[in-house]
Amino acid sequence: MNYNTSEPLPFPLLTEELIKALDSHYPQRHPDLSLSDREIWFRAGQRSVVDFLIEHQDRQKENMLNNVLENQI
């Protein structure tokens, strides 16, 4: 595997268990205003990654469904 390319590596299959665990560790919630700005942005970044993975998992599911439907034709 060549890690020196400008192309990002493909994601492995994202499981429901992984997404649920990440969602429970980094839930979507309003920021705690008692935290520093830096901590609020850090936590927002963590959640942003979870949201990105959820979107990517949705695309993976859609692609799998399309592949199944194409193979049935």
Side-chain angles (χ1 to χ4, degrees), residues 57-69:
Q57 184 194 40
D58 290 342
R59 280 187 255 135
Q60 283 182 343
K61 287 178 182 178
E62 186 177 314
N63 287 338
M64 284 190 283
L65 180 60
N66 287 338
N67 289 338
V68 168
L69 292 175

Side-chain angles (χ1 to χ4, degrees), residues 2-73:
N2 185 359
Y3 294 105
N4 296 325
T5 65
S6 61
E7 291 286 323
L9 296 173
F11 277 99
L13 185 62
L14 298 169
T15 64
E16 286 295 322
E17 293 82 14
L18 175 63
I19 297 297
K20 285 180 182 179
L22 290 170
D23 194 39
S24 71
H25 283 276
Y26 309 106
Q28 189 160 1
R29 60 179 170 216
H30 298 290
D32 180 351
L33 298 180
S34 68
L35 299 173
S36 70
D37 288 351
R38 187 177 196 153
E39 183 67 21
I40 290 171
W41 286 111
F42 181 77
R43 290 185 182 192
Q46 290 174 322
R47 183 59 205 192
S48 177
V49 171
V50 175
D51 291 339
F52 171 81
L53 293 174
I54 290 170
E55 286 180 34
H56 193 77
Q57 184 194 40
D58 290 342
R59 280 187 255 135
Q60 283 182 343
K61 287 178 182 178
E62 186 177 314
N63 287 338
M64 284 190 283
L65 180 60
N66 287 338
N67 289 338
V68 168
L69 292 175
E70 286 174 4
N71 289 333
Q72 289 181 352
I73 296 176

